[in-house]
Amino acid sequence: LAGTAMAKMFLYIRAYGMTQLRIYTTWFMLLLVMGFVLIIIRQFKIQLPVCKIGFILFTAMFGLLCFSRPDAWMTEYNAKMYLSGQLEEFDYNHLHSLSDDALVTAMSYKDVLDTSRIESELMDFDSKCREDFYRYLNLSAWQIMASGGASK
């Protein structure tokens, strides 16, 4: 069942692009598959410490999800699929709700995407940073400022 659900999810991603919900759902389905495989192995090897291995597996998968910059590669995937003609439109509205990683990635496609929409997101980023100093304290914000995308 998990394989069928993942196949459907990949069809949705190919047809409509990647979103945060699709990434998190796919991550959870992969975690479930790994858990089921662990339970199947436990049926044949009784002494297997399932809880300990499951905890390590979850921690590794969660770390992978947290440190893989999913917003950046989601934006990059959608931009590439839009430019190749496989997606009808690039969803500029999602840039507003994502982390700064997505904006940095969108800036690298500034020449081929709608520049005015990206500039408006950069101005919104700049105003948010003026309101909240701690918004500047991440690598992506520094990349935006170093590229001249937003003024401090």
PDB file of all heavy atoms in Angstrom, residues 2-35:
ATOM      1  N   ALA A   2       1.948   1.213   0.761  1.00  0.00           N
ATOM      2  CA  ALA A   2       2.822   2.388   0.818  1.00  0.00           C
ATOM      3  C   ALA A   2       3.466   2.637  -0.546  1.00  0.00           C
ATOM      4  O   ALA A   2       3.624   3.787  -0.956  1.00  0.00           O
ATOM      5  CB  ALA A   2       3.883   2.207   1.892  1.00  0.00           C
ATOM      6  N   GLY A   3       3.821   1.579  -1.252  1.00  0.00           N
ATOM      7  CA  GLY A   3       4.403   1.735  -2.587  1.00  0.00           C
ATOM      8  C   GLY A   3       3.425   2.362  -3.563  1.00  0.00           C
ATOM      9  O   GLY A   3       3.794   3.222  -4.366  1.00  0.00           O
ATOM     10  N   THR A   4       2.165   1.949  -3.496  1.00  0.00           N
ATOM     11  CA  THR A   4       1.129   2.543  -4.352  1.00  0.00           C
ATOM     12  C   THR A   4       0.921   4.008  -4.015  1.00  0.00           C
ATOM     13  O   THR A   4       0.805   4.856  -4.916  1.00  0.00           O
ATOM     14  CB  THR A   4      -0.196   1.777  -4.178  1.00  0.00           C
ATOM     15  OG1 THR A   4       0.025   0.397  -4.468  1.00  0.00           O
ATOM     16  CG2 THR A   4      -1.260   2.321  -5.090  1.00  0.00           C
ATOM     17  N   ALA A   5       0.889   4.315  -2.715  1.00  0.00           N
ATOM     18  CA  ALA A   5       0.714   5.712  -2.300  1.00  0.00           C
ATOM     19  C   ALA A   5       1.889   6.569  -2.756  1.00  0.00           C
ATOM     20  O   ALA A   5       1.703   7.710  -3.195  1.00  0.00           O
ATOM     21  CB  ALA A   5       0.558   5.782  -0.780  1.00  0.00           C
ATOM     22  N   MET A   6       3.109   6.033  -2.667  1.00  0.00           N
ATOM     23  CA  MET A   6       4.280   6.800  -3.110  1.00  0.00           C
ATOM     24  C   MET A   6       4.267   6.986  -4.624  1.00  0.00           C
ATOM     25  O   MET A   6       4.629   8.059  -5.119  1.00  0.00           O
ATOM     26  CB  MET A   6       5.559   6.109  -2.650  1.00  0.00           C
ATOM     27  CG  MET A   6       5.784   6.293  -1.164  1.00  0.00           C
ATOM     28  SD  MET A   6       7.185   5.429  -0.461  1.00  0.00           S
ATOM     29  CE  MET A   6       8.483   5.736  -1.562  1.00  0.00           C
ATOM     30  N   ALA A   7       3.829   5.962  -5.355  1.00  0.00           N
ATOM     31  CA  ALA A   7       3.737   6.106  -6.813  1.00  0.00           C
ATOM     32  C   ALA A   7       2.735   7.198  -7.187  1.00  0.00           C
ATOM     33  O   ALA A   7       3.000   8.012  -8.086  1.00  0.00           O
ATOM     34  CB  ALA A   7       3.335   4.775  -7.441  1.00  0.00           C
ATOM     35  N   LYS A   8       1.602   7.242  -6.485  1.00  0.00           N
ATOM     36  CA  LYS A   8       0.619   8.305  -6.734  1.00  0.00           C
ATOM     37  C   LYS A   8       1.200   9.674  -6.394  1.00  0.00           C
ATOM     38  O   LYS A   8       0.968  10.648  -7.101  1.00  0.00           O
ATOM     39  CB  LYS A   8      -0.636   8.070  -5.899  1.00  0.00           C
ATOM     40  CG  LYS A   8      -1.583   7.084  -6.470  1.00  0.00           C
ATOM     41  CD  LYS A   8      -2.786   6.999  -5.550  1.00  0.00           C
ATOM     42  CE  LYS A   8      -4.038   6.757  -6.332  1.00  0.00           C
ATOM     43  NZ  LYS A   8      -5.217   6.725  -5.471  1.00  0.00           N
ATOM     44  N   MET A   9       1.957   9.748  -5.294  1.00  0.00           N
ATOM     45  CA  MET A   9       2.540  11.019  -4.894  1.00  0.00           C
ATOM     46  C   MET A   9       3.519  11.510  -5.954  1.00  0.00           C
ATOM     47  O   MET A   9       3.544  12.693  -6.290  1.00  0.00           O
ATOM     48  CB  MET A   9       3.246  10.873  -3.542  1.00  0.00           C
ATOM     49  CG  MET A   9       3.782  12.177  -3.007  1.00  0.00           C
ATOM     50  SD  MET A   9       2.539  13.463  -2.782  1.00  0.00           S
ATOM     51  CE  MET A   9       1.553  12.750  -1.496  1.00  0.00           C
ATOM     52  N   PHE A  10       4.318  10.607  -6.513  1.00  0.00           N
ATOM     53  CA  PHE A  10       5.254  11.012  -7.560  1.00  0.00           C
ATOM     54  C   PHE A  10       4.518  11.468  -8.820  1.00  0.00           C
ATOM     55  O   PHE A  10       4.979  12.371  -9.519  1.00  0.00           O
ATOM     56  CB  PHE A  10       6.245   9.896  -7.867  1.00  0.00           C
ATOM     57  CG  PHE A  10       7.213   9.633  -6.750  1.00  0.00           C
ATOM     58  CD1 PHE A  10       7.442   8.352  -6.298  1.00  0.00           C
ATOM     59  CD2 PHE A  10       7.895  10.670  -6.130  1.00  0.00           C
ATOM     60  CE1 PHE A  10       8.333   8.110  -5.257  1.00  0.00           C
ATOM     61  CE2 PHE A  10       8.776  10.453  -5.098  1.00  0.00           C
ATOM     62  CZ  PHE A  10       8.994   9.163  -4.659  1.00  0.00           C
ATOM     63  N   LEU A  11       3.365  10.873  -9.101  1.00  0.00           N
ATOM     64  CA  LEU A  11       2.552  11.340 -10.236  1.00  0.00           C
ATOM     65  C   LEU A  11       2.024  12.755  -9.976  1.00  0.00           C
ATOM     66  O   LEU A  11       2.024  13.597 -10.868  1.00  0.00           O
ATOM     67  CB  LEU A  11       1.391  10.385 -10.488  1.00  0.00           C
ATOM     68  CG  LEU A  11       1.752   9.043 -11.118  1.00  0.00           C
ATOM     69  CD1 LEU A  11       0.531   8.132 -11.167  1.00  0.00           C
ATOM     70  CD2 LEU A  11       2.329   9.244 -12.506  1.00  0.00           C
ATOM     71  N   TYR A  12       1.559  13.013  -8.742  1.00  0.00           N
ATOM     72  CA  TYR A  12       1.103  14.361  -8.385  1.00  0.00           C
ATOM     73  C   TYR A  12       2.244  15.375  -8.512  1.00  0.00           C
ATOM     74  O   TYR A  12       2.052  16.470  -9.031  1.00  0.00           O
ATOM     75  CB  TYR A  12       0.568  14.399  -6.958  1.00  0.00           C
ATOM     76  CG  TYR A  12      -0.832  13.873  -6.784  1.00  0.00           C
ATOM     77  CD1 TYR A  12      -1.099  12.869  -5.863  1.00  0.00           C
ATOM     78  CD2 TYR A  12      -1.885  14.384  -7.520  1.00  0.00           C
ATOM     79  CE1 TYR A  12      -2.382  12.381  -5.695  1.00  0.00           C
ATOM     80  CE2 TYR A  12      -3.169  13.906  -7.353  1.00  0.00           C
ATOM     81  CZ  TYR A  12      -3.411  12.909  -6.441  1.00  0.00           C
ATOM     82  OH  TYR A  12      -4.667  12.434  -6.274  1.00  0.00           O
ATOM     83  N   ILE A  13       3.416  14.999  -8.019  1.00  0.00           N
ATOM     84  CA  ILE A  13       4.550  15.914  -8.083  1.00  0.00           C
ATOM     85  C   ILE A  13       4.917  16.202  -9.534  1.00  0.00           C
ATOM     86  O   ILE A  13       5.174  17.348  -9.903  1.00  0.00           O
ATOM     87  CB  ILE A  13       5.753  15.335  -7.294  1.00  0.00           C
ATOM     88  CG1 ILE A  13       5.464  15.374  -5.805  1.00  0.00           C
ATOM     89  CG2 ILE A  13       7.029  16.099  -7.617  1.00  0.00           C
ATOM     90  CD1 ILE A  13       6.478  14.644  -4.946  1.00  0.00           C
ATOM     91  N   ARG A  14       4.907  15.188 -10.360  1.00  0.00           N
ATOM     92  CA  ARG A  14       5.251  15.388 -11.769  1.00  0.00           C
ATOM     93  C   ARG A  14       4.215  16.263 -12.481  1.00  0.00           C
ATOM     94  O   ARG A  14       4.563  17.101 -13.309  1.00  0.00           O
ATOM     95  CB  ARG A  14       5.373  14.051 -12.475  1.00  0.00           C
ATOM     96  CG  ARG A  14       5.644  14.213 -13.953  1.00  0.00           C
ATOM     97  CD  ARG A  14       5.860  12.904 -14.601  1.00  0.00           C
ATOM     98  NE  ARG A  14       7.300  12.778 -14.737  1.00  0.00           N
ATOM     99  CZ  ARG A  14       7.890  11.733 -15.239  1.00  0.00           C
ATOM    100  NH1 ARG A  14       7.196  10.705 -15.617  1.00  0.00           N
ATOM    101  NH2 ARG A  14       9.185  11.699 -15.376  1.00  0.00           N
ATOM    102  N   ALA A  15       2.933  16.100 -12.131  1.00  0.00           N
ATOM    103  CA  ALA A  15       1.876  16.843 -12.820  1.00  0.00           C
ATOM    104  C   ALA A  15       1.707  18.262 -12.284  1.00  0.00           C
ATOM    105  O   ALA A  15       1.478  19.196 -13.054  1.00  0.00           O
ATOM    106  CB  ALA A  15       0.556  16.091 -12.700  1.00  0.00           C
ATOM    107  N   TYR A  16       1.809  18.441 -10.967  1.00  0.00           N
ATOM    108  CA  TYR A  16       1.470  19.725 -10.372  1.00  0.00           C
ATOM    109  C   TYR A  16       2.621  20.416  -9.663  1.00  0.00           C
ATOM    110  O   TYR A  16       2.454  21.509  -9.130  1.00  0.00           O
ATOM    111  CB  TYR A  16       0.317  19.557  -9.375  1.00  0.00           C
ATOM    112  CG  TYR A  16      -0.915  18.976 -10.008  1.00  0.00           C
ATOM    113  CD1 TYR A  16      -1.348  17.699  -9.662  1.00  0.00           C
ATOM    114  CD2 TYR A  16      -1.625  19.680 -10.967  1.00  0.00           C
ATOM    115  CE1 TYR A  16      -2.474  17.152 -10.243  1.00  0.00           C
ATOM    116  CE2 TYR A  16      -2.742  19.145 -11.556  1.00  0.00           C
ATOM    117  CZ  TYR A  16      -3.165  17.878 -11.189  1.00  0.00           C
ATOM    118  OH  TYR A  16      -4.268  17.342 -11.772  1.00  0.00           O
ATOM    119  N   GLY A  17       3.773  19.791  -9.612  1.00  0.00           N
ATOM    120  CA  GLY A  17       4.917  20.397  -8.957  1.00  0.00           C
ATOM    121  C   GLY A  17       5.031  19.973  -7.508  1.00  0.00           C
ATOM    122  O   GLY A  17       4.155  19.324  -6.941  1.00  0.00           O
ATOM    123  N   MET A  18       6.135  20.364  -6.923  1.00  0.00           N
ATOM    124  CA  MET A  18       6.425  19.971  -5.560  1.00  0.00           C
ATOM    125  C   MET A  18       5.915  21.029  -4.594  1.00  0.00           C
ATOM    126  O   MET A  18       6.004  22.219  -4.861  1.00  0.00           O
ATOM    127  CB  MET A  18       7.941  19.817  -5.414  1.00  0.00           C
ATOM    128  CG  MET A  18       8.360  18.744  -4.479  1.00  0.00           C
ATOM    129  SD  MET A  18      10.140  18.603  -4.385  1.00  0.00           S
ATOM    130  CE  MET A  18      10.443  17.381  -5.624  1.00  0.00           C
ATOM    131  N   THR A  19       5.340  20.589  -3.475  1.00  0.00           N
ATOM    132  CA  THR A  19       4.912  21.485  -2.408  1.00  0.00           C
ATOM    133  C   THR A  19       5.460  20.943  -1.090  1.00  0.00           C
ATOM    134  O   THR A  19       5.926  19.812  -1.018  1.00  0.00           O
ATOM    135  CB  THR A  19       3.376  21.567  -2.312  1.00  0.00           C
ATOM    136  OG1 THR A  19       2.864  20.278  -1.974  1.00  0.00           O
ATOM    137  CG2 THR A  19       2.754  22.059  -3.603  1.00  0.00           C
ATOM    138  N   GLN A  20       5.370  21.756  -0.051  1.00  0.00           N
ATOM    139  CA  GLN A  20       5.837  21.304   1.260  1.00  0.00           C
ATOM    140  C   GLN A  20       5.070  20.077   1.719  1.00  0.00           C
ATOM    141  O   GLN A  20       5.658  19.120   2.217  1.00  0.00           O
ATOM    142  CB  GLN A  20       5.662  22.414   2.299  1.00  0.00           C
ATOM    143  CG  GLN A  20       6.751  23.424   2.305  1.00  0.00           C
ATOM    144  CD  GLN A  20       6.561  24.436   3.427  1.00  0.00           C
ATOM    145  OE1 GLN A  20       5.443  24.813   3.751  1.00  0.00           O
ATOM    146  NE2 GLN A  20       7.658  24.862   4.004  1.00  0.00           N
ATOM    147  N   LEU A  21       3.773  20.091   1.544  1.00  0.00           N
ATOM    148  CA  LEU A  21       2.958  18.968   1.982  1.00  0.00           C
ATOM    149  C   LEU A  21       3.336  17.684   1.242  1.00  0.00           C
ATOM    150  O   LEU A  21       3.398  16.615   1.851  1.00  0.00           O
ATOM    151  CB  LEU A  21       1.478  19.290   1.797  1.00  0.00           C
ATOM    152  CG  LEU A  21       0.493  18.270   2.345  1.00  0.00           C
ATOM    153  CD1 LEU A  21       0.708  18.079   3.840  1.00  0.00           C
ATOM    154  CD2 LEU A  21      -0.935  18.704   2.072  1.00  0.00           C
ATOM    155  N   ARG A  22       3.621  17.784  -0.025  1.00  0.00           N
ATOM    156  CA  ARG A  22       4.017  16.592  -0.787  1.00  0.00           C
ATOM    157  C   ARG A  22       5.377  16.073  -0.339  1.00  0.00           C
ATOM    158  O   ARG A  22       5.610  14.867  -0.300  1.00  0.00           O
ATOM    159  CB  ARG A  22       4.013  16.897  -2.274  1.00  0.00           C
ATOM    160  CG  ARG A  22       2.606  17.091  -2.803  1.00  0.00           C
ATOM    161  CD  ARG A  22       2.562  17.313  -4.295  1.00  0.00           C
ATOM    162  NE  ARG A  22       1.179  17.599  -4.666  1.00  0.00           N
ATOM    163  CZ  ARG A  22       0.794  18.643  -5.364  1.00  0.00           C
ATOM    164  NH1 ARG A  22       1.692  19.503  -5.805  1.00  0.00           N
ATOM    165  NH2 ARG A  22      -0.471  18.832  -5.648  1.00  0.00           N
ATOM    166  N   ILE A  23       6.291  16.970  -0.001  1.00  0.00           N
ATOM    167  CA  ILE A  23       7.601  16.541   0.496  1.00  0.00           C
ATOM    168  C   ILE A  23       7.452  15.847   1.842  1.00  0.00           C
ATOM    169  O   ILE A  23       7.996  14.759   2.060  1.00  0.00           O
ATOM    170  CB  ILE A  23       8.562  17.740   0.622  1.00  0.00           C
ATOM    171  CG1 ILE A  23       8.983  18.218  -0.757  1.00  0.00           C
ATOM    172  CG2 ILE A  23       9.792  17.366   1.434  1.00  0.00           C
ATOM    173  CD1 ILE A  23       9.811  19.473  -0.740  1.00  0.00           C
ATOM    174  N   TYR A  24       6.711  16.456   2.751  1.00  0.00           N
ATOM    175  CA  TYR A  24       6.558  15.876   4.088  1.00  0.00           C
ATOM    176  C   TYR A  24       5.795  14.551   4.037  1.00  0.00           C
ATOM    177  O   TYR A  24       6.105  13.625   4.778  1.00  0.00           O
ATOM    178  CB  TYR A  24       5.862  16.854   5.029  1.00  0.00           C
ATOM    179  CG  TYR A  24       6.639  18.123   5.257  1.00  0.00           C
ATOM    180  CD1 TYR A  24       5.999  19.319   5.505  1.00  0.00           C
ATOM    181  CD2 TYR A  24       8.032  18.136   5.209  1.00  0.00           C
ATOM    182  CE1 TYR A  24       6.710  20.487   5.716  1.00  0.00           C
ATOM    183  CE2 TYR A  24       8.752  19.296   5.405  1.00  0.00           C
ATOM    184  CZ  TYR A  24       8.084  20.465   5.664  1.00  0.00           C
ATOM    185  OH  TYR A  24       8.799  21.622   5.861  1.00  0.00           O
ATOM    186  N   THR A  25       4.808  14.458   3.170  1.00  0.00           N
ATOM    187  CA  THR A  25       4.058  13.212   3.037  1.00  0.00           C
ATOM    188  C   THR A  25       4.944  12.111   2.471  1.00  0.00           C
ATOM    189  O   THR A  25       4.901  10.966   2.943  1.00  0.00           O
ATOM    190  CB  THR A  25       2.827  13.433   2.135  1.00  0.00           C
ATOM    191  OG1 THR A  25       2.036  14.487   2.688  1.00  0.00           O
ATOM    192  CG2 THR A  25       2.000  12.181   2.021  1.00  0.00           C
ATOM    193  N   THR A  26       5.750  12.435   1.475  1.00  0.00           N
ATOM    194  CA  THR A  26       6.663  11.440   0.911  1.00  0.00           C
ATOM    195  C   THR A  26       7.685  10.992   1.946  1.00  0.00           C
ATOM    196  O   THR A  26       7.991   9.804   2.061  1.00  0.00           O
ATOM    197  CB  THR A  26       7.377  12.021  -0.330  1.00  0.00           C
ATOM    198  OG1 THR A  26       6.388  12.453  -1.273  1.00  0.00           O
ATOM    199  CG2 THR A  26       8.277  10.990  -0.975  1.00  0.00           C
ATOM    200  N   TRP A  27       8.195  11.943   2.729  1.00  0.00           N
ATOM    201  CA  TRP A  27       9.141  11.600   3.802  1.00  0.00           C
ATOM    202  C   TRP A  27       8.491  10.635   4.794  1.00  0.00           C
ATOM    203  O   TRP A  27       9.097   9.641   5.189  1.00  0.00           O
ATOM    204  CB  TRP A  27       9.582  12.874   4.524  1.00  0.00           C
ATOM    205  CG  TRP A  27      10.434  12.619   5.719  1.00  0.00           C
ATOM    206  CD1 TRP A  27      11.776  12.445   5.740  1.00  0.00           C
ATOM    207  CD2 TRP A  27       9.997  12.508   7.076  1.00  0.00           C
ATOM    208  NE1 TRP A  27      12.208  12.230   7.026  1.00  0.00           N
ATOM    209  CE2 TRP A  27      11.133  12.268   7.859  1.00  0.00           C
ATOM    210  CE3 TRP A  27       8.757  12.596   7.693  1.00  0.00           C
ATOM    211  CZ2 TRP A  27      11.058  12.096   9.239  1.00  0.00           C
ATOM    212  CZ3 TRP A  27       8.680  12.434   9.064  1.00  0.00           C
ATOM    213  CH2 TRP A  27       9.830  12.193   9.814  1.00  0.00           C
ATOM    214  N   PHE A  28       7.270  10.916   5.182  1.00  0.00           N
ATOM    215  CA  PHE A  28       6.575  10.063   6.139  1.00  0.00           C
ATOM    216  C   PHE A  28       6.313   8.678   5.551  1.00  0.00           C
ATOM    217  O   PHE A  28       6.458   7.667   6.249  1.00  0.00           O
ATOM    218  CB  PHE A  28       5.266  10.713   6.590  1.00  0.00           C
ATOM    219  CG  PHE A  28       4.547   9.928   7.641  1.00  0.00           C
ATOM    220  CD1 PHE A  28       5.058   9.845   8.925  1.00  0.00           C
ATOM    221  CD2 PHE A  28       3.371   9.263   7.348  1.00  0.00           C
ATOM    222  CE1 PHE A  28       4.408   9.116   9.902  1.00  0.00           C
ATOM    223  CE2 PHE A  28       2.715   8.528   8.320  1.00  0.00           C
ATOM    224  CZ  PHE A  28       3.236   8.457   9.593  1.00  0.00           C
ATOM    225  N   MET A  29       5.948   8.610   4.274  1.00  0.00           N
ATOM    226  CA  MET A  29       5.730   7.306   3.647  1.00  0.00           C
ATOM    227  C   MET A  29       7.027   6.499   3.597  1.00  0.00           C
ATOM    228  O   MET A  29       7.009   5.287   3.828  1.00  0.00           O
ATOM    229  CB  MET A  29       5.131   7.482   2.248  1.00  0.00           C
ATOM    230  CG  MET A  29       3.672   7.858   2.284  1.00  0.00           C
ATOM    231  SD  MET A  29       2.889   7.831   0.668  1.00  0.00           S
ATOM    232  CE  MET A  29       3.477   9.354  -0.032  1.00  0.00           C
ATOM    233  N   LEU A  30       8.149   7.156   3.298  1.00  0.00           N
ATOM    234  CA  LEU A  30       9.437   6.452   3.322  1.00  0.00           C
ATOM    235  C   LEU A  30       9.761   5.944   4.718  1.00  0.00           C
ATOM    236  O   LEU A  30      10.260   4.820   4.883  1.00  0.00           O
ATOM    237  CB  LEU A  30      10.552   7.373   2.832  1.00  0.00           C
ATOM    238  CG  LEU A  30      10.622   7.634   1.342  1.00  0.00           C
ATOM    239  CD1 LEU A  30      11.651   8.718   1.042  1.00  0.00           C
ATOM    240  CD2 LEU A  30      10.956   6.369   0.600  1.00  0.00           C
ATOM    241  N   LEU A  31       9.478   6.748   5.729  1.00  0.00           N
ATOM    242  CA  LEU A  31       9.699   6.327   7.114  1.00  0.00           C
ATOM    243  C   LEU A  31       8.831   5.121   7.459  1.00  0.00           C
ATOM    244  O   LEU A  31       9.300   4.175   8.102  1.00  0.00           O
ATOM    245  CB  LEU A  31       9.423   7.486   8.065  1.00  0.00           C
ATOM    246  CG  LEU A  31       9.716   7.243   9.538  1.00  0.00           C
ATOM    247  CD1 LEU A  31      11.223   7.030   9.746  1.00  0.00           C
ATOM    248  CD2 LEU A  31       9.227   8.404  10.366  1.00  0.00           C
ATOM    249  N   LEU A  32       7.580   5.127   7.017  1.00  0.00           N
ATOM    250  CA  LEU A  32       6.699   3.989   7.260  1.00  0.00           C
ATOM    251  C   LEU A  32       7.204   2.725   6.571  1.00  0.00           C
ATOM    252  O   LEU A  32       7.177   1.639   7.156  1.00  0.00           O
ATOM    253  CB  LEU A  32       5.280   4.300   6.780  1.00  0.00           C
ATOM    254  CG  LEU A  32       4.428   5.171   7.677  1.00  0.00           C
ATOM    255  CD1 LEU A  32       3.075   5.405   7.039  1.00  0.00           C
ATOM    256  CD2 LEU A  32       4.259   4.545   9.041  1.00  0.00           C
ATOM    257  N   VAL A  33       7.666   2.852   5.340  1.00  0.00           N
ATOM    258  CA  VAL A  33       8.194   1.690   4.620  1.00  0.00           C
ATOM    259  C   VAL A  33       9.387   1.107   5.367  1.00  0.00           C
ATOM    260  O   VAL A  33       9.495  -0.115   5.541  1.00  0.00           O
ATOM    261  CB  VAL A  33       8.577   2.068   3.162  1.00  0.00           C
ATOM    262  CG1 VAL A  33       9.416   0.995   2.514  1.00  0.00           C
ATOM    263  CG2 VAL A  33       7.326   2.328   2.351  1.00  0.00           C
ATOM    264  N   MET A  34      10.275   1.977   5.833  1.00  0.00           N
ATOM    265  CA  MET A  34      11.433   1.498   6.586  1.00  0.00           C
ATOM    266  C   MET A  34      11.002   0.824   7.885  1.00  0.00           C
ATOM    267  O   MET A  34      11.575  -0.191   8.286  1.00  0.00           O
ATOM    268  CB  MET A  34      12.397   2.647   6.863  1.00  0.00           C
ATOM    269  CG  MET A  34      13.097   3.148   5.652  1.00  0.00           C
ATOM    270  SD  MET A  34      14.171   4.514   6.097  1.00  0.00           S
ATOM    271  CE  MET A  34      14.605   5.131   4.504  1.00  0.00           C
ATOM    272  N   GLY A  35      10.002   1.378   8.537  1.00  0.00           N
ATOM    273  CA  GLY A  35       9.473   0.758   9.756  1.00  0.00           C
ATOM    274  C   GLY A  35       8.859  -0.600   9.481  1.00  0.00           C
ATOM    275  O   GLY A  35       9.063  -1.558  10.249  1.00  0.00           O
TER     276      GLY A  35
END
